[in-house]
Structure formats: C-alpha cells, structure tokens
Amino acid sequence: MGLAKTEMFSDQQNEIALFAKAFGHPARVAILQHLFKINTCVCGDLVNEIGLAQPTISQHLKELKHLGLIKGNVEGTSVCYCIDTENWSKMKQVMHTFLDQDINNTECC
C-alpha cells in the first residue's frame, strides 16, 4: 500500500480528516467525554474510568495530544490531561463549517 498522499489535498481537507480521527475510536470519545466531565485527569484515573489497559489509554492520549485536542502537564510521576480549549474551539468551527454544508440536489439517485 502506498503513502497517504496527504499533499494531494488542501490544508482544510487534511485538517478536517485529522480532527475526525479523534472521533474514529470509541475510547478516544470516552476519554474526551471524561475530561470534559472532570476538567482535569491523571492517566491512572482514566484507566479505572474507561476500563482499558494503561498502554492502550496512553496510546489514545498520545493521539489526542498529537491532534491538539488535549494538553498535559507533568505532575511528579503522573501526567495531568485536560481539553485544549483553544484547539477544541478551532476544531468545532472547522467541523461545523464542513458539516453545515447543505445538499443542493434533491434529485440524486
């Protein structure tokens, strides 16, 4: 299989695809919901709350952080995560614009 060839697509298309990736796994959705509910969280708390293994939670946290939707601070031997409100607002606007497109042709299929 070849490369994703993301350079073939616009910056906006790539940005939408990256943001959509956050919702591509139910564990990431559950993590985001939990972070919204409590506003901050230590990774160990997520393991108990979500019910997945520590390495799995860490991998999903890494992906959400890479996407810019969460941020984390080191506190001793733990990392405290929270929603990155600036990037979350940006993601909401980008996705709203994309999802708010109207279907113009009702005569299709």
Side-chain angles (χ1 to χ4, degrees):
M1 169 117 29
L3 297 174
K5 298 190 180 187
T6 56
E7 69 276 355
M8 293 175 50
F9 303 99
S10 72
D11 289 344
Q12 181 188 36
Q13 290 166 333
N14 280 300
E15 186 175 44
I16 290 167
L18 283 173
F19 284 142
K21 187 176 182 179
F23 306 109
H25 195 288
R28 289 193 288 273
V29 172
I31 289 168
L32 289 168
Q33 287 176 321
H34 186 68
L35 291 176
F36 271 114
K37 183 170 67 175
I38 65 166
N39 201 27
T40 60
C41 188
V42 176
C43 189
D45 294 343
L46 283 168
V47 170
N48 296 332
E49 180 69 25
I50 308 296
L52 296 173
Q54 170 66 47
T56 304
I57 294 290
S58 292
Q59 197 61 30
H60 287 298
L61 288 167
K62 180 180 176 183
E63 186 63 33
L64 289 168
K65 192 169 181 182
H66 172 74
L67 295 170
L69 297 179
I70 65 170
K71 55 186 174 182
N73 298 315
V74 176
E75 294 181 1
T77 59
S78 298
V79 180
C80 184
Y81 291 96
C82 63
I83 301 293
D84 186 320
T85 55
E86 185 177 323
N87 285 338
W88 184 263
S89 294
K90 178 183 177 185
M91 182 272 307
K92 282 177 41 177
Q93 181 58 46
V94 168
M95 296 304 285
H96 175 75
T97 300
F98 175 69
L99 295 172
D100 201 37
Q101 299 176 86
D102 290 325
I103 299 172
N104 295 322
N105 182 0
T106 58
E107 300 284 328
C108 182
C109 303

